[in-house]
Amino acid sequence: VQLVESGGGLVQPGGSLRLSCSTSGFTFSTYHMSWYRQAPGTERELVARISSTGGSTNVADSVKGRFTISRDNAKNTVYLQMNSLKPEDTAVYYCQAQHLLVTTRTYWGQGTRVTVSS
């Protein structure tokens, strides 16, 4: 099983980034996918989640209206479009896969760092 995040980097406040999480080794379409983030000295927090079919999404209040989660089941990839970035969005962003029925079957990526700074 592999989850590989990409697309992180340094961006100025107000800028945009698109994170990608490419996966392999499991049946992507049977997993809900989520993005979490963890800033230094804080706990990992859920940013956005998308159902296995893509028909349902949820985003944290702190990013609502700015971040959008999507997935392409044909490419086994989930995305996080981040607009109007703020310094407080600075964190390591992690991709998570959770089986839609067996919730203990959960996989994580290694993370990609996002830094929002002028």
Side-chain angles (χ1 to χ4, degrees):
V1 171
Q2 283 194 313
L3 287 78
V4 180
E5 299 97 334
S6 62
L10 174 64
V11 62
Q12 292 187 342
S16 297
L17 283 175
R18 188 195 195 202
L19 304 184
S20 299
C21 175
S22 299
T23 73
S24 63
F26 61 98
T27 306
F28 184 74
S29 62
T30 64
Y31 283 72
H32 302 317
M33 298 299 297
S34 299
W35 286 96
Y36 284 75
R37 68 185 180 186
Q38 187 167 22
T42 70
E43 293 188 355
R44 194 171 296 190
E45 64 171 349
L46 177 65
V47 176
R49 183 176 177 87
I50 187 166
S51 64
S52 58
T53 64
S56 175
T57 62
N58 297 96
V59 296
D61 287 343
S62 58
V63 305
K64 196 164 291 183
R66 301 188 297 121
F67 290 13
T68 303
I69 188 171
S70 61
R71 66 190 291 160
D72 186 336
N73 282 4
K75 295 183 178 179
N76 295 339
T77 301
V78 62
Y79 306 96
L80 185 67
Q81 178 66 45
M82 306 187 295
N83 299 328
S84 302
L85 282 160
K86 305 175 180 180
E88 51 263 43
D89 295 319
T90 296
V92 177
Y93 284 71
Y94 298 91
C95 175
Q96 183 215 52
Q98 185 180 54
H99 193 271
L100 66 92
L101 295 177
V102 185
T103 56
T104 54
R105 195 176 297 169
T106 300
Y107 308 120
W108 290 90
Q110 83 291 347
T112 185
R113 184 173 301 277
V114 172
T115 302
V116 184
S117 175
S118 55

